[in-house]
Amino acid sequence: MALVGHPTYDAPASEALLPTPPSLADATTAFLKWRPQCHLQASHGWMNDPCAVSYDPEERVYRVFFQWNPQSPFWDHICWGGAESANLLDWTVSSAPVLSPETSYDGKGIFTGCAVSPSSGKQITIFYTSVSRLPIHYSLPYHLGMETLSTATSTDGGRTWARSKKNPILGPNHLADLNITGWRDPFVTKWASMDNILGRKEARLYGLISGGIRDTAPTCFLYDIDPTDITSWNYIGPLMKVERNYRPSRWSGDSGLNWEVANVLAFDQYDFLLISAEGGAERNDKSTRGSIWIAGSLQGTTPVTMKYDFGGIFDHGDYYASNTFRDESLDNAIVAWGWIAEEALSDELIVRQNWSGSISLPRVISVAAVKSVVGALRSPIDQLTNFKAVKSEEGYELITLGVDVHPRYISSFRQRAKHYTVIPAVTFLRPGVVDCGVSSTSWELETEIAVSSSTAHVGVVALHSPDYSQQTRLVFSPENETFTIDRSRSGNGKELHAHVAPHTLFTTRKSDGAEEIEKLKLHVFCDRSVIEVFLNGRTAISARVYPDDASCRISLFAENLTDGPVHFSETKVWHGITGKATIE
């Protein structure tokens, strides 16, 4: 995946230019100050993409590997670390790299990869991007062979690995006439729709490798994997060619110039691509990368391609580089982890804490439907390009990609909570703030809010100081159909720009003919410096914030009420949670 915060995949500034490390006592304080307690993290140093994520039904554990630089809190010397968990909250994390760059073909880095699913017991097979030359960036000339495809196996749950003697098993030389911008991040999956269009009666494995074609399109390259030899990948063609920086509206993601970590999300009636796109137009938070999804339909056979049908944004904040797997413990649901970057913190503070980045909460992905829709808060239905609208007598059925936190994580989190606070329902007849009486930096909040289309601002003030001088505002604006994480007073970051997500509520018609506006269903997880917000099971936003120790309170608020009251249903807060990380 692309190196966020630096222009290329290359070494960071020389050590002489980096800030002086703190004393031991100060270092311990700095290490813990903003370190999340309930997210998966490396023991120290830089971390980014989750890799080879899986659930092992025999061992009953989840496994996540990740890109890691244990030598520094900045990108360089990329190897893999590993972790496993039975409950998604407590992790056993490797103290040393489990797979390091040490051969001629991967000596410059072990980049993102995937596991062949399902893994069985402690037996795991992975594919990964082996890097032999730097720098790598979509804006630079691409040298064929600098990224290749390699494989390795483990018989001890990922603690040690044996590389294939065939490595690298494939390189991009067959794409020499395309002038590609990248070729990395393999993803392997079964795909029933692909089997059907190719006339195959038995399920096959297919591989995706992400990249782009210079001055033409971002894409991912599709491969057919030999069922008798999974090291044999046969090229089919570019799976999809969308326009560079294609974005049909604010409701859909910018396709960018180069794709990374493309995953197939195959459901019974719909096929999606989950993509990390780089080279997009600058967002409100100044980022040019994004985590997007595209729903498409397969067509043709020589080669088969995917047509863009509709698309959206998987996360509107600091989240990137999703990797997914099928969770056999959850009715084979698709689960994603992503990387939450440390972009808003200065190099000096990153050196002091000696770590950078975390893995997101596990997210369950589904096909979400809203039925009997007769309208949205403001936008016409046909302008909501992140939905497929199916007309019916009752109105519209709207189809989109759904996302929320894994129920096993939620259960573990709530069981671990030292405190459970219920704030009674409250109605705001005029602008105001209600303190929830909670002081905590690690918490989960659930509430529902009834609004009108003319309500200006309503939401939660998180991590605020007693006098509100420091705060992070989670703001829904019905009149603008946006949800914003306002970080302008969130603490010590260098550029804490707001994260803004388009989000609307729908008016539906009930069986008796009456119409009602759905409530805003707000689900928030806060973990010291990481906030992840989920709205109505279909919009996600993540953010990094860096508050002072005294900024740990939560309040509800409503502002600029011009068209009736705002009503909060009972608000529930689970707080005082600490996950356990065992370093081995």
Side-chain angles (χ1 to χ4, degrees):
M1 51 123 323
L3 176 57
V4 176
H6 296 265
T8 61
Y9 272 128
D10 206 350
S14 68
E15 296 298 327
L17 299 179
L18 295 177
T20 303
S23 67
L24 181 59
D26 289 344
T28 301
T29 300
F31 182 84
L32 295 174
K33 183 175 179 62
W34 293 308
R35 189 168 177 83
Q37 299 298 295
C38 304
H39 284 69
L40 169 59
Q41 289 190 282
S43 58
H44 62 285
W46 166 280
M47 75 178 305
N48 52 295
D49 301 14
C51 303
V53 295
S54 66
Y55 175 73
D56 182 342
E58 293 186 20
E59 299 288 321
R60 296 185 179 181
V61 296
Y62 295 89
R63 293 195 180 100
V64 177
F65 300 91
F66 48 85
Q67 291 193 17
W68 184 28
N69 176 16
Q71 302 179 34
S72 163
F74 299 98
W75 188 94
D76 199 6
H77 307 294
I78 294 299
C79 60
W80 278 19
E84 64 178 39
S85 173
N87 64 3
L88 295 174
L89 178 62
D90 304 317
W91 291 89
T92 299
V93 184
S94 61
S95 60
V98 298
L99 191 61
S100 298
E102 56 190 36
T103 73
S104 60
Y105 57 84
D106 65 13
K108 294 297 183 179
I110 310 293
F111 281 15
T112 303
C114 66
V116 179
S117 181
S119 298
S120 177
K122 295 184 179 295
Q123 177 82 31
I124 310 172
T125 298
I126 61 168
F127 293 100
Y128 68 94
T129 307
S130 39
V131 178
S132 60
R133 177 173 175 170
L134 295 172
I136 297 172
H137 194 260
Y138 68 88
S139 64
L140 300 176
Y142 190 84
H143 300 277
L144 294 177
M146 64 197 308
E147 297 174 301
T148 53
L149 177 65
S150 291
T151 184
T153 58
S154 174
T155 58
D156 57 9
R159 289 170 174 78
T160 60
W161 294 89
R163 290 170 169 82
S164 171
K165 294 181 180 180
K166 297 180 180 179
N167 282 351
I169 63 171
L170 187 67
N173 290 338
H174 56 286
L175 304 175
D177 60 338
L178 292 182
N179 192 13
I180 62 174
T181 53
W183 194 79
R184 57 183 168 271
D185 308 336
F187 178 76
V188 174
T189 186
K190 293 180 179 179
W191 194 353
S193 298
M194 188 65 71
D195 289 334
N196 291 337
I197 200 168
L198 294 176
R200 291 171 171 168
K201 296 182 179 180
E202 295 185 0
R204 295 279 289 265
L205 286 176
Y206 299 93
L208 296 184
I209 296 183
S210 300
I213 303 171
R214 193 173 305 280
D215 301 324
T216 302
T219 192
C220 49
F221 304 100
L222 176 64
Y223 296 84
D224 180 24
I225 299 176
D226 188 334
T228 64
D229 179 8
I230 62 172
T231 66
S232 178
W233 289 41
N234 302 301
Y235 180 55
I236 295 177
L239 178 60
M240 176 179 281
K241 290 183 181 179
V242 298
E243 297 175 19
R244 290 155 44 94
N245 298 118
Y246 179 66
R247 189 179 190 184
S249 77
R250 71 184 180 113
W251 300 92
S252 299
D254 188 321
S255 66
L257 302 177
N258 189 75
W259 285 354
E260 303 184 293
V261 207
N263 282 213
V264 173
L265 312 177
F267 297 96
D268 289 342
Q269 297 181 359
Y270 296 94
D271 291 319
F272 296 81
L273 292 179
L274 184 57
I275 299 158
S276 297
E278 56 179 353
E282 186 175 278
R283 305 185 318 197
N284 183 78
D285 59 8
K286 307 303 180 182
S287 176
T288 58
R289 60 170 173 78
S291 182
I292 69 172
W293 58 264
I294 294 172
S297 49
L298 298 178
Q299 55 189 12
T301 55
T302 52
V304 62
T305 57
M306 177 180 272
K307 179 177 70 70
Y308 187 113
D309 292 335
F310 58 104
I313 301 171
F314 189 67
D315 189 288
H316 299 259
D318 292 328
Y319 176 108
Y320 193 69
S322 289
N323 246 324
T324 65
F325 70 101
R326 293 275 183 177
D327 187 348
E328 293 185 38
S329 74
L330 195 64
D331 198 25
N332 226 29
I334 298 176
V335 177
W337 270 290
W339 166 46
I340 298 182
E342 208 80 35
E343 293 183 274
L345 205 58
S346 68
D347 284 357
E348 179 180 1
L349 291 176
I350 289 174
V351 167
R352 291 181 65 82
Q353 68 181 21
N354 195 33
W355 58 268
S356 179
S358 71
I359 301 299
S360 73
L361 300 184
R363 302 179 177 189
V364 177
I365 303 175
S366 62
V367 177
V370 187
K371 298 182 179 181
S372 304
V373 174
V374 297
L377 289 174
R378 294 281 182 169
S379 298
I381 296 297
D382 61 3
Q383 292 183 11
L384 303 177
T385 55
N386 57 333
F387 287 89
K388 177 182 179 180
V390 181
K391 192 76 170 67
S392 67
E393 292 182 1
E394 297 78 21
Y396 289 95
E397 180 179 11
L398 301 182
I399 308 297
T400 192
L401 197 68
V403 58
D404 211 332
V405 178
H406 196 297
R408 180 169 293 179
Y409 180 89
I410 294 174
S411 176
S412 299
F413 193 94
R414 293 176 180 179
Q415 290 175 16
R416 186 66 55 78
K418 296 178 181 178
H419 307 286
Y420 172 55
T421 300
V422 178
I423 297 90
V426 58
T427 298
F428 288 91
L429 300 176
R430 59 185 62 86
V433 178
V434 172
D435 193 305
C436 294
V438 173
S439 295
S440 176
T441 56
S442 294
W443 45 264
E444 174 194 0
L445 179 147
E446 271 191 334
T447 194
E448 295 186 359
I449 310 172
V451 301
S452 74
S453 60
S454 299
T455 301
H457 304 298
V458 62
V460 174
V461 187
L463 297 174
H464 69 79
S465 56
D467 63 357
Y468 292 89
S469 60
Q470 194 172 91
Q471 59 179 264
T472 297
R473 287 164 51 89
L474 313 180
V475 186
F476 182 51
S477 302
E479 63 180 1
N480 298 322
E481 294 178 306
T482 59
F483 192 96
T484 301
I485 299 182
D486 179 355
R487 303 186 294 170
S488 60
R489 289 187 280 170
S490 290
N492 298 270
K494 60 180 179 180
E495 290 185 73
L496 290 171
H497 300 284
H499 292 315
V500 181
H503 185 78
T504 194
L505 301 175
F506 296 110
T507 298
T508 58
R509 182 178 291 121
K510 299 191 294 184
S511 58
D512 62 1
E515 296 181 358
E516 63 180 2
I517 300 176
E518 70 175 326
K519 295 179 180 179
L520 176 72
K521 295 182 179 180
L522 179 60
H523 196 188
V524 183
F525 286 84
C526 177
D527 190 11
R528 293 201 177 179
S529 63
V530 179
I531 295 177
E532 297 186 53
V533 178
F534 302 87
L535 309 171
N536 295 90
R538 58 180 183 259
T539 300
I541 322 167
S542 60
R544 300 306 302 263
V545 295
Y546 304 98
D548 294 333
D549 293 342
S551 299
C552 58
R553 300 191 65 81
I554 309 169
S555 294
L556 313 178
F557 79 92
E559 296 176 345
N560 302 335
L561 306 183
T562 60
D563 185 25
V566 166
H567 180 74
F568 281 76
S569 301
E570 186 177 75
T571 299
K572 302 174 183 178
V573 184
W574 296 261
H575 51 108
I577 297 97
T578 301
K580 298 177 182 178
T582 303
I583 310 301
E584 291 187 352

